[in-house]
Amino acid sequence: LAHWETTLDLIDPLPITHLSLYNLTIEPHTLFFKHQAELLPLIPNEEASLAMFQAAVKKLSKKGLQQYEISAFSYPGLESKHNTGYWIGRPFLGLGPSAFSYWEGKRFQNISHLGRYLKLLEEGKLPIHFEERLEPEARKRELLVIRLRLLQGVCLETFVKDFGALDRATETTLKELTGEGFLRSRGGKIALTEKGILFY
């Protein structure tokens, strides 16, 4: 934690206007995965990760970098347009090996192996490894959950106008999460509470 706080203090002289903070997740088929026996003892446990996150929120806020999304901080007006696109469900194309795309209601991922990726392109084929199209209700629920990453919250009236009414199960879940203190409802908007941010 002391090293982390020192790192946060080093931001001051740097021309940083935006930060994204994520815990390291070791995924299968990666170099990290191959060396996880050596790496895992170096990764902070949940309690240390929580303390580090809370220290970051506090110190970055004092520097004027406001948390506008669960993992993102920026000076006012300098929020990431690129990442915000993901959180509001804007269509995007990802180019290159392993890249994800969301286009015309379909999500797909390119093959991660560079050689196979290039070979398929040379053959005039799309190098797609995985694709899915969610049913409309599932897509609506997913979009609502993704939009809740933004700390400004979601205006339910606008959301329903743009995407249609929420099903009964989703409405019930939102009420339960509000009752349990994970969400707050204010002025027609629902948003994550501090507890909700950590749970998310």
Side-chain angles (χ1 to χ4, degrees), residues 32-197:
F32 284 143
F33 188 79
K34 290 176 188 171
H35 296 282
Q36 65 179 319
E38 304 150 54
L39 293 172
L40 286 174
L42 304 174
I43 296 175
N45 62 29
E46 282 189 17
E47 291 78 20
S49 292
L50 173 60
M52 293 169 82
F53 180 76
Q54 290 171 327
V57 170
K58 187 175 179 182
K59 282 195 176 238
L60 295 175
S61 177
K62 284 181 181 175
K63 296 174 192 303
L65 288 156
Q66 298 300 311
Q67 184 182 16
Y68 70 95
E69 188 268 346
I70 290 175
S71 301
F73 302 76
S74 76
Y75 291 116
L78 296 174
E79 297 83 3
S80 169
K81 291 185 174 106
H82 174 82
N83 286 355
T84 301
Y86 295 138
W87 302 320
I88 63 170
R90 185 179 66 213
F92 64 92
L93 288 174
L95 307 175
S98 297
F100 270 91
S101 299
Y102 175 69
W103 195 257
E104 296 181 344
K106 186 169 68 174
R107 180 186 356 248
F108 52 96
Q109 180 191 17
N110 291 339
I111 289 169
S112 58
H113 189 275
L114 179 59
R116 286 192 294 245
Y117 176 86
L118 292 172
K119 186 174 185 295
L120 286 168
L121 286 178
E122 288 167 358
E123 294 171 1
K125 298 175 184 171
L126 291 174
I128 295 175
H129 162 68
F130 156 86
E131 66 181 2
E132 71 175 349
R133 183 186 300 273
L134 295 177
E135 294 297 320
E137 283 302 316
R139 174 63 189 139
K140 190 189 310 179
R141 283 191 300 271
E142 179 183 82
L143 183 57
L144 178 62
V145 169
I146 292 170
R147 285 190 176 196
L148 279 170
R149 289 188 65 96
L150 292 165
L151 270 57
Q152 69 185 18
V154 176
C155 175
L156 284 178
E157 185 180 334
T158 303
F159 188 88
V160 167
K161 190 171 80 176
D162 292 343
F163 304 105
L166 300 174
D167 60 50
R168 190 168 290 166
T170 302
E171 288 182 343
T172 300
T173 301
L174 291 176
K175 285 178 185 168
E176 288 171 357
L177 291 171
T178 302
E180 293 168 11
F182 295 110
L183 293 174
R184 62 176 163 74
S185 181
R186 190 180 302 151
K189 278 189 174 183
I190 56 167
L192 293 170
T193 61
E194 189 174 330
K195 178 183 175 182
I197 291 168

